[in-house]
Amino acid sequence: MRVSAVLGCGRFLPPRVVTSEALAGELGIAGGTMTEMSGVRQRHYAEPGIGPSDLGREAAIAALGAAGLGPRDVDLIIFATMTPDIAFPGSACFLQDKLGCNTVGALDLRAQCAGFLFALSAGDRFVRAGRAGRVLVVGAEVYSTALDHSPRGAAVTPYFGDGAGAVVLGPAATPGVLATVLHGDPAAYERFWCEFPASRHYPARMNREALVEGRHFYRLDADAVHPQAEQALADVANEALERARVARERIALFVMHYFDPRIARRAAERAGFATARVVATAEPAGHIGAAGIPVVLADARAEGRVSRGDLVCCAAFGAGMSWAGAVLRL
């Protein structure tokens, strides 16, 4: 059986930076209070008319360039997002067109905040099975257009930002994806969800009552989600290490992905990871869902935090509830 390796990483954040101070007035709370509540000081917002496939294109070009490849070298596109450009077709189809990837397979994958690791696991299996040579795995989100920017959204809106990240997977002599672990538990999905618009509702997938109540905005019970996330992140990271048969001392970087960076760091501490080697993905630019982990991977390579051949352990938790872990050689 073939094995896959990470051939290149790329990322893109929209140029518009929104600080907590700038957002505070809309939400009716002080900037300092907002940062204290969310652990996020700033986030990036896309301009009107820009979708995740536009952000994904920039990240994909960067990842392909890092791998010494071009769009026509891609055999398959897997696009992780919970904020697609339109209802259908998928954002992967839009990206395929914008890159000029001919008629290769292109599919969207929805596993919310854990989406990138689910997509990475799927891409790895395509390469291992010999069904694809080079797989472009993209995570991209435009959350800003779905957030409640009134005081009603103060408990949710500060966490989220927009952005994209990508990796290119390809066959190699030495494995780059050492292990992936995927989990899901839908028992309490209402703790973190977006109810409308919905195909199960008729007519128009929305009603006036739901619109007035703001049920088309994200709803989050953070106090209920945090304990589950903290435990799941710690457990799945250690599970991935065990499956990869890698000691934590060999890991150059632990990437903990959750919308509240403080909970992500608490999970890393619970797992026994060295603080100096931990990155909480939401700290630099807010929570960007499926894009968070690949953005950090691209930054870590660019900034020299990891060198070629270093091992990275990733863990992610999000709505669904879905969570995942992976051990990678970059």
Side-chain angles (χ1 to χ4, degrees):
M1 180 179 290
R2 300 195 308 178
V3 294
S4 75
V6 178
L7 306 181
C9 302
R11 49 86 94 182
F12 180 76
L13 299 178
R16 180 186 172 198
V17 176
V18 179
T19 64
S20 291
E21 287 71 20
L23 197 59
E26 299 177 4
L27 302 181
I29 53 179
T33 302
M34 182 187 300
T35 300
E36 185 178 344
M37 287 171 51
S38 66
V40 177
R41 296 183 179 276
Q42 64 179 34
R43 68 286 295 151
H44 294 250
Y45 281 2
E47 296 298 330
I50 298 296
S53 65
D54 297 300
L55 306 182
R57 176 185 180 275
E58 302 304 318
I61 289 174
L64 288 166
L69 302 171
R72 293 184 180 267
D73 296 312
V74 173
D75 299 308
L76 176 68
I77 299 171
I78 304 179
F79 197 116
T81 186
M82 59 178 279
T83 59
D85 293 65
I86 61 172
F88 70 88
S91 291
C93 297
F94 280 83
L95 177 62
Q96 177 189 24
D97 179 58
K98 290 168 183 175
L99 288 174
C101 288
N102 296 324
T103 60
V104 303
L107 63 98
D108 279 20
L109 186 150
R110 286 187 60 187
Q112 294 65 250
C113 310
F116 175 76
L117 293 184
F118 275 71
L120 183 80
S121 182
D124 173 56
R125 281 159 173 75
F126 270 99
V127 175
R128 286 175 179 267
R131 300 300 184 184
R134 297 184 180 97
V135 180
L136 177 62
V137 181
V138 179
E141 309 284 4
V142 174
Y143 284 127
S144 56
T145 54
L147 299 174
D148 188 346
H149 285 266
S150 74
R152 184 175 55 186
V156 178
T157 297
Y159 289 111
F160 292 90
D162 304 338
V167 301
V168 181
L169 296 178
T174 304
V177 182
L178 279 66
T180 57
V181 180
L182 311 178
H183 289 289
D185 178 7
Y189 60 84
E190 298 96 337
R191 292 175 176 177
F192 186 12
W193 72 330
C194 185
E195 187 179 2
F196 287 92
S199 59
R200 66 183 183 180
H201 291 282
Y202 179 85
R205 304 190 175 191
M206 173 76 80
N207 57 48
R208 182 175 295 277
E209 179 184 3
L211 184 65
V212 170
E213 292 176 359
R215 288 158 66 189
H216 58 299
F217 294 124
Y218 300 157
R219 290 195 167 190
L220 168 66
D221 183 349
D223 289 339
V225 175
H226 284 342
Q228 182 183 7
E230 183 179 335
Q231 185 66 60
L233 285 167
D235 289 347
V236 80
N238 279 320
E239 186 181 357
L241 289 171
E242 183 178 352
R243 184 169 296 186
R245 298 181 180 179
V246 171
R248 66 187 63 187
E249 291 76 20
R250 293 179 57 199
I251 299 297
L253 198 67
F254 296 95
V255 182
M256 308 299 284
H257 183 56
Y258 184 58
F259 66 82
D260 190 315
R262 298 162 302 180
I263 302 302
R265 287 198 171 275
R266 276 167 42 183
E269 184 178 355
R270 179 189 287 259
F273 301 151
T275 302
R277 287 182 281 156
V278 172
V279 172
T281 59
E283 285 176 341
H287 181 65
I288 45 179
I293 288 177
V295 166
V296 166
L297 294 180
D299 284 343
R301 267 195 167 179
E303 296 165 3
R305 290 199 66 175
V306 294
S307 302
R308 186 166 296 278
D310 281 349
L311 298 180
V312 176
C313 179
C314 305
F317 183 95
M321 301 304 197
S322 300
W323 63 98
V327 177
L328 311 175
R329 179 180 286 109
L330 291 185

